Amino acid sequence: MTPLVGIVLVSHRAEIALGVRSLVAEMAGPEVTVAAAGGTDDGRTGTSYARIRDALHSAATDAGVLLLPDLGSSVLTARLVLEDHPAIRAVLADAPFVEGAVAAAVTAATGAPLSTVAKAAEEARHFSKL
């Protein structure tokens, strides 16, 4: 089987990352690896370099991995992790967290390449809800 793009969800709260991971996994199916990296190492609100790094390694495939941060320091910390791990083919998406995660995972499930998965996540900002 051809490897699928993996997804890493980076949030300031573990509960948010885990909740979105649960939603995304249900919609995309078990073939897409979705890793959650939420909160600090001691369970507080914030981001953790180690959690993001570990999630990146667990979701990385030969097809690549897409990181979706929620806001602020999650973006900065995710960028730092990617700079420190250049051997992993990864893209940081500028996308809405929930809608982007769903769009990315569903697109990844089709076997689409990393660039297409990233584009799907970023285009989710244009979804009309009403």
Side-chain angles (χ1 to χ4, degrees):
M1 179 177 176
T2 303
L4 302 178
V5 172
I7 312 267
V8 173
L9 303 171
V10 183
S11 176
H12 281 71
R13 296 290 305 167
E15 298 89 349
I16 292 172
L18 292 168
V20 173
R21 182 183 71 182
S22 177
L23 172 70
V24 166
E26 188 174 317
M27 296 179 127
E31 295 80 21
V32 178
T33 300
V34 182
T40 62
D41 294 333
D42 60 1
R44 292 180 294 130
T45 298
T47 55
S48 162
Y49 180 100
R51 286 182 182 208
I52 297 169
R53 179 201 60 220
D54 293 349
L56 177 67
H57 283 282
S58 73
T61 72
D62 289 341
V65 61
L66 183 74
L67 280 79
L68 287 153
D70 61 0
L71 50 95
S73 67
S74 67
V75 175
L76 300 173
T77 308
R79 281 184 174 160
L80 181 59
V81 171
L82 292 178
E83 287 174 13
D84 290 347
H85 296 85
I88 296 177
R89 189 167 151 240
V91 171
L92 184 62
D94 181 11
F97 194 65
V98 176
E99 293 90 339
V102 170
V106 169
T107 303
T110 70
L114 181 57
S115 61
T116 302
V117 173
K119 185 176 180 183
E122 291 176 350
E123 288 180 350
R125 79 176 70 259
H126 303 294
F127 293 167
S128 178
K129 293 182 184 182
L130 300 177

